[in-house]
Amino acid sequence: MYVDFESLPDESKIWIYQSNRKFSDAEFSEIESALQVFIQNWTAHGTGLEASYQLKYNRFIIIAVNQAVQQATGCSIDASVQFIQDLEKKYEVDLLDKMNVTFKLGEHIAHKPLIEFKKMAKEKAVSGNTIVFNNLVNNIAEYNESWEVPAEDSWHSRFF
């Protein structure tokens, strides 16, 4: 069951998928329509999940579930991963590779393989003050507080 993202409690579980390229506005519009349908019909053991999504920077897909109402189970999580894999195929993007780093360079959003980001840190092309997207956050509270943070305040700090 789709609900407004802002109505979900802070403890709601989230999954963040980052694209290796920026989606066009038309692609993002199509993805939003597909997400609406998926979320509206997403269930765990036949019970609708109270869930929502956000799309950010034409690059991120954030899915959230209020687990206090109904826990996302193995099958429902598998269904969401299959949905993401279908998007990967349709739009020829990578959304599941966690070995990439997305960060801000001024107003530009950059996306690099982890090894390149480490090299950039060593060469001082990025610093501890560089805003990174910490996609390891687990719930909405962490997402609101710790998703867009200086690298020195996230797991990326080990590169500086």
Side-chain angles (χ1 to χ4, degrees):
M1 155 182 64
Y2 172 81
V3 297
D4 187 57
F5 193 91
E6 285 72 29
S7 73
L8 290 169
D10 284 348
E11 304 77 35
S12 297
K13 171 75 178 144
I14 65 165
W15 294 268
I16 299 174
Y17 303 97
Q18 68 183 3
S19 175
N20 61 323
R21 69 165 174 83
K22 185 177 179 178
F23 289 106
S24 71
D25 289 342
E27 288 172 327
F28 232 36
S29 180
E30 289 175 11
I31 291 168
E32 183 166 24
S33 295
L35 271 165
Q36 280 276 355
V37 171
F38 174 75
I39 297 288
Q40 191 62 39
N41 297 298
W42 197 18
T43 63
H45 300 295
T47 301
L49 293 170
E50 185 175 292
S52 194
Y53 67 89
Q54 280 191 338
L55 300 173
K56 294 279 199 161
Y57 301 112
N58 284 54
R59 191 177 284 272
F60 295 95
I61 299 169
I62 299 106
I63 297 176
V65 173
N66 181 355
Q67 301 223 97
V69 172
Q70 172 66 40
Q71 293 268 335
T73 61
C75 291
S76 61
I77 293 169
D78 288 349
S80 69
V81 171
Q82 182 62 55
F83 173 79
I84 294 297
Q85 288 173 328
D86 291 347
L87 292 177
E88 285 184 316
K89 288 177 191 149
K90 180 174 182 175
Y91 296 102
E92 297 178 356
V93 295
D94 183 3
L95 294 164
L96 293 168
D97 188 347
K98 303 294 186 195
M99 296 304 292
N100 295 310
V101 178
T102 304
F103 55 99
K104 289 184 176 180
L105 285 174
E107 291 303 308
H108 177 71
I109 306 290
H111 179 87
K112 299 286 183 193
L114 184 59
I115 196 157
E116 285 186 43
F117 184 81
K118 286 165 62 172
K119 183 179 176 190
M120 290 176 74
K122 186 176 182 182
E123 295 170 349
K124 307 230 185 292
V126 292
S127 71
N129 293 323
T130 300
I131 300 298
V132 295
F133 295 92
N134 178 11
N135 297 324
L136 299 180
V137 295
N138 292 303
N139 59 43
I140 288 178
E142 290 178 9
Y143 169 69
N144 289 333
E145 296 167 13
S146 305
W147 182 52
E148 292 183 52
V149 294
E152 64 192 7
D153 294 335
S154 77
W155 65 267
H156 304 85
S157 65
R158 63 184 168 191
F159 304 129
F160 302 98

